[in-house]
Amino acid sequence: QAFFCLLLCIPWGSSCPPSCRCTERAGAKAVLCSSQHLQEIPKDIPRDVVLLKLDANSITRIPSNAFRHLSHLEEIDLSGNAIEQIDRAAFRGVAAGLRSLDLSGNRIRSIPKEALLALRAKLRLANNPWHCGCALQEVLGEGRLDPDSVRDITCHTAPRLEYVGKPLLQALDSGANFCSVPQRSTDVAMLLTMFGWFAMLAGYVICYVRHNRERSRGHREHPRALPGTRGRAE
């Protein structure tokens, strides 16, 4: 942390995104874009940046490959934005080297687990309006979450009302298993689909049987009419 603090103090002269400040120490570069009213991630961030601060802006989305060209990146601070959407490949290209990712204080309700589980970075996800579902549970179980911020991951919505407003850890400790809900929903959907196919098949069989009965009845009645028809003809 002291190393990154030193980065904030020494300016460097190469290209720097508009509205940002760039610093360098011992060859490690930092791009500081805090509180600049940015609505998206800058496109012209230098490739050799190590620390990227985008906190306290108005960014709403992290698109796929947003940082792919930043192969030296070790720390990203996106806290205090208005992020609602994170694409599955948002951190592609930086997953191996990233050490810290701060997404706290945004508007994130859900996140594709593929976006975070590939990261080795320490994650900060507190103070978002989370929907407590299977993806978030898996991130909590397999991701490297910052211990100090885990307690502030709260269920803004949940499959069951009793978990709303509770910390995710507390809900899980009480026996909640959000990953079982989608499986039950899938089972119900499969049963409904099978019932629908069975109903269609039964309807087809009934129509087929009725049609054959009517044809048989017509064949039986047609010969009886023939003698009377011949008599009238004579």
Side-chain angles (χ1 to χ4, degrees):
Q1 291 181 348
F3 172 72
F4 284 123
C5 288
L6 289 172
L7 281 178
L8 307 183
C9 304
I10 303 177
W12 49 286
S14 59
S15 62
C16 191
S19 303
C20 298
R21 184 167 60 92
C22 298
T23 63
E24 179 180 2
R25 180 175 177 82
K29 299 179 179 179
V31 176
L32 314 175
C33 309
S34 306
S35 305
Q36 295 299 315
H37 308 288
L38 299 176
Q39 297 183 352
E40 61 181 18
I41 297 169
K43 306 293 185 184
D44 49 356
I45 299 172
R47 292 179 176 272
D48 51 354
V49 62
V50 174
L51 168 64
L52 177 59
K53 290 185 67 65
L54 294 164
D55 54 302
N57 283 290
S58 302
I59 298 169
T60 59
R61 178 190 173 207
I62 307 178
S64 296
N65 304 312
F67 310 100
R68 189 171 187 174
H69 63 293
L70 309 177
S71 58
H72 299 278
L73 197 56
E74 295 183 10
E75 181 175 346
I76 306 174
D77 186 355
L78 283 158
S79 62
N81 276 276
I83 297 171
E84 297 180 349
Q85 180 182 347
I86 300 176
D87 292 358
R88 294 177 184 274
F91 303 103
R92 180 182 295 165
V94 297
L98 202 62
R99 299 194 318 186
S100 176
L101 174 61
D102 194 343
L103 294 169
S104 58
N106 280 280
R107 300 176 184 174
I108 306 169
R109 296 191 67 254
S110 62
I111 189 170
K113 62 181 181 181
E114 296 85 355
L116 296 183
L117 292 183
L119 295 176
R120 300 176 184 175
K122 182 179 292 186
L123 304 173
R124 295 182 179 89
L125 305 175
N127 301 317
N128 282 284
W130 288 107
H131 172 74
C132 286
C134 186
L136 183 59
Q137 180 176 322
E138 290 182 343
V139 168
L140 185 64
E142 302 179 34
R144 296 183 56 195
L145 273 71
D146 179 66
D148 295 332
S149 66
V150 171
R151 65 177 63 92
D152 294 321
I153 299 177
T154 303
C155 298
H156 186 74
T157 58
R160 295 174 60 177
L161 188 60
E162 61 187 283
Y163 301 128
V164 175
K166 289 186 177 181
L168 177 60
L169 280 180
Q170 182 179 341
L172 295 176
D173 288 342
S174 67
N177 184 0
F178 301 113
C179 289
S180 66
V181 174
Q183 183 61 45
R184 288 198 297 268
S185 301
T186 302
D187 292 343
V188 171
M190 289 180 64
L191 288 174
L192 291 174
T193 301
M194 292 175 63
F195 177 78
W197 279 106
F198 178 78
M200 291 176 61
L201 180 61
Y204 174 79
V205 171
I206 292 172
C207 291
Y208 179 79
V209 171
R210 287 181 178 177
H211 180 69
N212 283 346
R213 285 180 178 176
E214 291 175 357
R215 289 184 60 187
S216 299
R217 186 181 304 158
H219 284 307
R220 288 196 300 269
E221 294 175 352
H222 184 64
R224 296 175 183 174
L226 289 178
T229 304
R230 287 197 302 269
R232 287 194 299 271
E234 293 172 355

